């Protein structure tokens, strides 16, 4: 079947309200899309329903990505993409670089529905790159942890350079300041692979501070502090770049990296110092970075961490509508 006929067939079969864009590169494959999403929600979701959502996340039946995000904002368009880079980010995480259609766009912190030919399940992965990379190089990046879930399993066992996939952007968890907005002080708290959307936000904030004319005029960016924990030093994704960004803007950005478990390869604390400490994130770590008027916290990690950190932030006086979270887990 020709590309034109294939696209016509997909358009005919696709539900109303879902747009299928012409291919980018070879454009040989576009997936049938799931039912159209409900109307978009507001900028981001406050934490007022965190306990309810956490109970859902801990339910015995594992919901898939489309169920978890059924009420979240989604773009209508599904865009083809081609894998143009694969990096072993850690022993358990692969980072994909994908060349995308020129019309593809997203906001720092958002995720994609990830469609794979021959794989029934739809993946859901947060972008770990920032919109600036998309603007300059036409690519986006995803960091995916090894798992038996079919999309993640495909990425770790079958994905190669040149693999064709398709993606649709969604999510209400994002940082997209406008030139007219008052500056905010970002507090980014992440655990494990929950660092992905926070890393995208950090890179975007740094991009806005660099000397180039951003769209819409200059942005007044406040400070950013990132608190990030993982089981071992090897699982601290993007550690070097996080440190480099903080060194680039020493009066604006800072980081606190944590390791929660002793690994067999660590001789002693000299293996993780000076930029990393042992132990979990506590209320005392949060306290210096909480200002009820200026702080905006983005939180992404396992449910127990989300619950504990959000409670600590509330106890420290941060309003619930300034605590934003991503409920992947």
């Amino acid at each position: 079947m020709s590309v034109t006929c294939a696209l016509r067939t997909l358009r005919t079969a696709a539900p109303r309200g879902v747009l299928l864009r012409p291919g980018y590169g070879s454009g040989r494959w576009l997936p049938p899309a799931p039912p159209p999403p409900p109307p978009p929600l507001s900028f981001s979701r406050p934490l007022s329903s965190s306990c309810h959502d956490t109970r859902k996340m801990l339910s015995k039946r594992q919901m898939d990505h489309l169920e978890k995000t059924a009420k979240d904002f989604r773009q209508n368009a599904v865009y083809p993409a081609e894998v143009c880079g694969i990096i072993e980010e850690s022993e358990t995480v692969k980072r994909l670089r994908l060349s995308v259609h020129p019309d593809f766009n997203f906001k720092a912190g958002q995720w994609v529905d990830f469609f794979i030919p021959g794989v029934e399940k739809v993946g859901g992965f947060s972008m770990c790159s920032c919109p600036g990379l998309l603007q300059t190089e036409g690519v986006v990046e995803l960091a995916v942890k090894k798992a038996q879930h079919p999309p993640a399993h495909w990425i770790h066992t079958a994905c190669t350079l040149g693999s064709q996939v398709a993606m649709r952007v969604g999510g209400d968890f994002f940082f997209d300041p406008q030139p007219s907005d008052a500056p905010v002080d970002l507090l980014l708290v992440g655990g494990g692979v929950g660092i992905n959307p926070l890393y995208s936000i950090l890179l975007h904030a740094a991009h806005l501070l660099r000397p180039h004319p951003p769209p819409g005029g200059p942005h007044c960016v406040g400070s950013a502090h990132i608190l990030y924990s993982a089981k071992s030093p090897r699982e601290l994704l993007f550690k070097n770049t996080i440190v480099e960004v903080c060194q680039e803007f020493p009066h604006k950005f800072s980081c606190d990296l944590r390791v929660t478990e002793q690994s067999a390869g660590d001789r002693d604390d000299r293996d993780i110092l000076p930029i990393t400490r042992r132990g979990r994130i506590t209320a005392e770590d949060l306290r210096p970075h909480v200002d009820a008027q200026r702080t905006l916290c983005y939180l992404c990690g396992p449910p127990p961490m989300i619950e504990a950190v959000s409670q600590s932030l509330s106890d420290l006086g941060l309003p619930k509508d300034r605590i934003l979270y991503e409920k992947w887990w």
Side-chain angles (χ1 to χ4, degrees):
M1 181 184 294
S2 69
V3 173
T4 302
C5 291
L7 289 174
R8 185 180 300 117
T9 300
L10 286 171
R11 286 194 184 97
T12 302
R16 293 182 61 187
V18 177
L19 305 180
L20 295 173
R21 298 298 190 186
Y24 176 64
S26 60
R28 289 174 293 185
W29 180 80
L30 281 174
L41 299 182
S42 58
F43 163 73
S44 194
R45 195 172 37 250
L47 201 66
S48 57
S49 60
S50 63
C51 293
H52 175 68
D53 286 328
T54 300
R55 284 195 295 271
K56 285 184 179 179
M57 289 183 280
L58 295 174
S59 64
K60 291 183 179 179
R61 189 180 71 83
Q62 183 68 39
M63 291 192 298
D64 68 18
H65 164 67
L66 294 181
E67 288 180 287
K68 289 180 182 179
T69 60
K71 294 183 179 180
D72 289 4
F73 163 77
R74 273 180 169 80
Q75 293 180 4
N76 283 332
V78 177
Y79 294 104
E82 181 175 321
V83 176
C84 60
I86 303 175
I87 300 170
E88 299 287 342
E89 194 66 39
S90 75
E91 295 175 359
T92 61
V93 175
K94 279 191 176 184
R95 177 158 36 141
L96 300 187
R97 174 169 280 214
L98 298 118
S99 178
V100 294
H101 188 278
D103 290 340
F104 185 94
N105 67 91
F106 74 99
K107 297 172 182 176
Q110 288 186 307
W111 41 257
V112 291
D113 296 330
F114 195 77
F115 302 93
I116 305 165
V119 177
E120 182 179 355
K121 286 285 186 182
V122 177
F125 307 117
S126 293
M127 260 82 64
C128 63
S129 56
C130 75
L133 182 67
L134 174 61
Q135 293 165 8
T136 57
E137 299 186 28
V139 299
V140 298
E141 294 184 340
L142 309 173
V144 180
K145 190 167 184 175
K146 183 185 296 183
Q148 290 304 309
H149 189 251
H153 184 72
W154 177 87
I155 286 171
H156 279 266
T157 61
C159 179
T160 61
L161 293 178
S163 290
Q164 302 285 320
V165 297
M167 302 188 297
R168 175 173 55 192
V169 173
D172 305 302
F173 180 89
F174 57 80
F175 177 62
D176 184 33
Q178 302 303 306
S180 58
D181 293 344
V184 296
D185 293 334
L186 296 174
L187 177 58
L188 309 175
V189 186
V193 290
I195 189 63
N196 282 334
L198 308 180
Y199 183 62
S200 174
I201 290 170
L202 180 72
L203 294 179
H204 185 51
H207 179 75
L208 294 176
L209 284 172
R210 294 190 178 108
H212 58 80
H219 293 68
C220 187
V221 178
S223 66
H225 181 71
I226 186 164
L227 271 164
Y228 172 32
S229 69
K231 289 183 178 180
S232 72
R234 298 178 185 85
E235 293 300 316
L236 284 169
L237 308 180
F238 322 121
K239 175 176 66 177
N240 292 337
T241 304
I242 290 171
V243 172
E244 289 169 4
V245 168
C246 292
Q247 291 173 341
E248 182 181 358
F249 302 103
H251 303 297
K252 287 277 192 179
F253 293 173
S254 58
C255 63
D256 186 350
L257 309 181
R258 298 299 183 89
V259 171
T260 59
E261 294 182 4
Q262 182 87 26
S263 60
D266 295 341
R267 297 184 302 276
D268 53 41
D269 282 351
R270 287 175 298 179
D271 291 330
I272 62 172
L273 293 173
I275 60 172
T276 309
R277 295 187 288 161
R278 296 196 186 278
R280 300 187 182 278
I281 296 169
T282 68
E284 292 310 306
D285 299 319
L286 300 167
R287 187 184 303 276
H289 308 285
V290 173
D291 181 302
Q293 302 301 317
R294 288 182 57 92
T295 300
L296 183 62
C297 179
Y298 289 84
L299 174 59
C300 188
M305 177 186 176
I306 290 177
E307 189 170 0
V309 172
S310 62
Q311 184 60 57
S312 294
L313 291 169
S314 294
D315 293 343
L316 291 169
L318 191 63
K320 291 185 183 298
D321 63 359
R322 299 186 74 82
I323 305 171
L324 314 176
Y325 71 103
E326 184 63 281
K327 56 168 188 173
W328 274 122
W329 307 77

